[in-house]
Amino acid sequence: MDPYKHVPSSHHDSNYWTTNSGMPVWNNNSSSTVGTRGPVLLEDYHLIEKLAQFDRERIPERVTHDISNLTCADVFRAPGVQTPVIVRFSTVIHERGSPETLRDPRGFAVKFYTREGNWDLVGNNFPVFFVRDGIKFPDMVHALKPNPKNHIQENWRIADFFSHHPESMHMFTFLQDDVGVPRNYRHMEGFGVHTYTLLNKEGRVTYVKFHWQPSCGVKNLLEDEAVAVGGSNHSHATADLYDAIASGEYPEWKLLIQTMDPRDEDKFDFDPLDVTKIWPEHLFPLQPVGRMVLNKNPDNFFNDNEQLAFCPALIVPGIGYSDDKLLQTRIFSYADTQRHRLGPNYLMLPANAPKCAHHNNHHDGFMNFMHRDEEVNYFPSRFDPVRHAERYPSNPAQLSGRREKRMIPKENNFKQPGDRYRSFDPARRERYVARIAGMLSDPRCTQEIRRVWVGYLTQMDSGLGQKVASKLQAVGSM
């Protein structure tokens, strides 16, 4: 008798992908978009189910120049304008409480409490990302997180997954580079990663990328330094940040932007909406637009950090999204995660609530603590004076195209990571080669996986591929 006959079990797995309802999935690599580069469609049920399931699969844990000609955003209305912010730094792959000396991307999220609502600039300490389509995000996190069978993070799983995604090679030139372990948060860069849009009062659209540069410079930890620092304090970066602020040595970052005219987006050998690419600074110079100073520590860590919720969907008039496929899916996924982690009324919590006047007819639900005594909770009403806000500019670009589930036409996966590797000095190159070879030396990495990786690395730089192959041969792994 089959004990699993009437129990959902991996013993009954299909040999092709399906949704939870059993519908076959013919493409598990690309979201449905308007054309190959257009915005993601809400009707992509497979994408929504995949993200919503991923958001709930774990017990909740808190996983200056004037540019007013470019944007009507109130936060940039004039030089010298001050806006209160709250910032959270975090590790990405490893669990809460893990040592801050581990090699890992760092989250760099800033919430601006503007006069027109909250703007969340949610980024990392690297300017690029592993994958360019959000439908791959749950798979990527699964590969980077511990093995679900033994709860151990294992390199063979990472090497296997990313052997299918050549666009990830650029991200690995950051993660496995010296910048993979920041000295602390004060000496760490931040990047918005995605391409956003700026809209001015006339409705003109400009592509933009956001950067944070620490005023005290960028500093990192090499392996021996990380061991020495981590041996005495596994939360050294948090302690450093807290102590600096408490002593009055306020950490400071410059906010800089790169801008591009959307009419020029086809003139380059990369897609400017591709999160696995940077915009070369010699073509798109960094423009300073402000600075951020952290001058106050949290009064209560749980209230001001654990309950703090960020979402890239939170923008303000004058700042908009682009058709970046990863950004499009994060717009849904982050808010969905926060509603699961903190509840449907998480935006009422003090750390997340806007500081400006606000009003809508959302009410009731779990943990709703807003006082309401009105009788009219619908719109419009002749008994309620609330009306639509004054219209502000929106992206006027017209959309056309078939429903598509395809890769972008201009992938060019190897040029930029090759250029970055060649910019390293010889010692830095050797450290990078050693880290990549160390990952691929995992005994469970197959020869096929290693050959694919060496092939990718060779397309980045022929010398790089040869060096990694030689390292692997020296330890009997090739």
Side-chain angles (χ1 to χ4, degrees):
M1 179 179 177
D2 184 358
Y4 299 102
K5 186 174 182 180
H6 302 293
V7 180
S9 166
S10 59
H11 289 232
H12 295 286
D13 279 355
S14 166
N15 59 4
Y16 53 81
W17 285 105
T18 74
T19 63
N20 283 349
S21 66
M23 183 184 75
V25 174
W26 73 271
N27 186 338
N28 193 30
N29 291 318
S30 301
S31 305
S32 293
T33 56
V34 180
T36 57
R37 298 180 69 246
V40 172
L41 297 172
L42 185 62
E43 69 178 35
D44 189 343
Y45 173 78
H46 168 54
L47 169 68
I48 300 300
E49 178 186 85
K50 188 173 181 179
L51 293 175
Q53 189 84 18
F54 173 74
D55 292 343
R56 292 161 175 79
E57 70 183 20
R58 286 183 174 83
I59 296 172
E61 177 181 301
R62 196 221 37 93
V63 181
T64 68
H65 287 175
D66 184 2
I67 57 170
S68 57
N69 63 314
L70 298 178
T71 177
C72 60
D74 184 73
V75 67
F76 294 124
R77 65 186 180 273
V81 168
Q82 293 190 9
T83 302
V85 301
I86 190 168
V87 181
R88 185 169 67 198
F89 303 104
S90 60
T91 54
V92 173
I93 298 171
H94 302 288
E95 297 168 316
R96 180 175 59 187
S98 58
E100 293 177 325
T101 51
L102 294 178
R103 187 168 298 276
D104 189 4
R106 266 61 172 179
F108 194 127
V110 182
K111 186 184 293 291
F112 297 79
Y113 299 105
T114 85
R115 301 192 305 182
E116 296 179 314
N118 291 354
W119 169 36
D120 285 2
L121 184 55
V122 189
N124 295 324
N125 65 322
F126 303 147
V128 296
F129 200 64
F130 292 104
V131 292
R132 61 169 65 97
D133 193 316
I135 201 171
K136 300 308 301 176
F137 188 81
D139 300 295
M140 178 206 77
V141 174
H142 286 168
L144 291 168
K145 290 285 188 179
N147 184 324
K149 189 170 184 177
N150 60 21
H151 201 65
I152 299 172
Q153 186 185 37
E154 296 172 325
N155 281 331
W156 67 268
R157 290 164 40 82
I158 298 171
D160 175 30
F161 175 77
F162 289 109
S163 71
H164 299 278
H165 296 85
E167 71 269 24
S168 67
M169 293 299 106
H170 201 182
M171 181 67 165
F172 276 96
T173 65
F174 290 88
L175 181 62
Q176 298 288 18
D177 177 32
D178 294 350
V179 297
V181 185
R183 180 174 294 274
N184 51 51
Y185 296 126
R186 291 186 298 126
H187 291 90
M188 186 179 79
E189 290 181 289
F191 301 90
V193 182
H194 298 289
T195 298
Y196 291 88
T197 55
L198 299 177
L199 298 98
N200 66 8
K201 293 179 180 178
E202 290 72 41
R204 179 164 60 88
V205 176
T206 302
Y207 284 155
V208 63
K209 279 186 175 287
F210 296 99
H211 303 251
W212 296 105
Q213 284 189 352
S215 297
C216 58
V218 177
K219 295 182 181 180
N220 310 297
L221 294 174
L222 298 183
E223 279 77 355
D224 56 342
E225 296 171 314
V227 170
V229 170
S232 59
N233 185 354
H234 77 285
S235 299
H236 80 283
T238 298
D240 173 86
L241 186 67
Y242 188 94
D243 291 344
I245 295 173
S247 67
E249 297 180 19
Y250 300 141
E252 180 179 310
W253 285 261
K254 296 177 182 177
L255 177 60
L256 305 104
I257 62 172
Q258 291 176 290
T259 60
M260 179 191 298
D261 189 325
R263 294 174 296 183
D264 296 334
E265 64 180 335
D266 295 325
K267 295 181 179 180
F268 311 101
D269 62 1
F270 63 94
D271 187 327
L273 306 187
D274 181 357
V275 292
T276 70
K277 303 294 188 297
I278 61 166
W279 293 3
E281 291 181 19
H282 70 280
L283 297 175
F284 306 96
L286 293 170
Q287 308 169 50
V289 296
R291 68 189 184 104
M292 176 173 69
V293 179
L294 302 186
N295 59 8
K296 186 179 184 298
N297 279 312
D299 293 321
N300 180 287
F301 182 82
F302 182 82
N303 290 345
D304 297 334
N305 188 286
E306 286 301 295
Q307 293 194 126
L308 184 59
F310 291 91
C311 177
L314 300 187
I315 54 174
V316 291
I319 299 173
Y321 316 121
S322 75
D323 293 341
D324 166 358
K325 294 186 182 185
L326 187 65
L327 174 60
Q328 289 274 315
T329 48
R330 289 180 79 203
I331 290 169
F332 163 79
S333 181
Y334 272 59
D336 187 57
T337 298
Q338 305 300 358
R339 293 186 187 100
H340 171 59
R341 186 170 74 90
L342 297 171
N345 291 300
Y346 74 95
L347 288 177
M348 291 185 185
L349 294 168
N352 303 319
K355 308 303 182 190
C356 61
H358 57 286
H359 173 81
N360 56 53
N361 289 324
H362 303 323
H363 62 90
D364 298 344
F366 292 111
M367 294 189 170
N368 187 311
F369 54 89
M370 177 178 286
H371 173 71
R372 306 185 72 107
D373 57 10
E374 68 267 35
E375 296 181 286
V376 176
N377 60 351
Y378 49 86
F379 180 89
S381 169
R382 291 182 173 84
F383 296 95
D384 186 349
V386 175
R387 296 292 180 263
H388 287 122
E390 182 179 345
R391 185 170 182 173
Y392 49 83
S394 59
N395 194 331
Q398 294 187 352
L399 301 177
S400 63
R402 301 185 307 175
R403 293 175 172 85
E404 301 273 7
K405 286 179 77 75
R406 290 177 53 190
M407 300 292 186
I408 60 173
K410 199 181 292 184
E411 293 192 60
N412 200 357
N413 294 318
F414 304 110
K415 181 180 182 301
Q416 287 195 3
D419 289 344
R420 176 170 169 79
Y421 169 76
R422 286 184 288 273
S423 74
F424 298 165
D425 62 55
R428 190 173 176 180
R429 291 187 191 183
E430 289 303 315
R431 291 191 293 270
Y432 177 73
V433 168
R435 293 173 190 133
I436 292 290
M439 179 181 69
L440 297 176
S441 297
D442 187 301
R444 291 189 65 180
C445 274
T446 65
Q447 293 293 347
E448 180 184 11
I449 291 173
R450 292 180 183 127
R451 283 195 296 268
V452 170
W453 269 83
V454 169
Y456 290 163
L457 297 168
T458 300
Q459 291 180 76
M460 288 167 52
D461 182 273
S462 58
L464 170 60
Q466 292 170 1
K467 287 182 177 181
V468 172
S470 297
K471 285 271 189 186
L472 292 172
Q473 287 173 348
V475 295
S477 298
M478 281 290 282

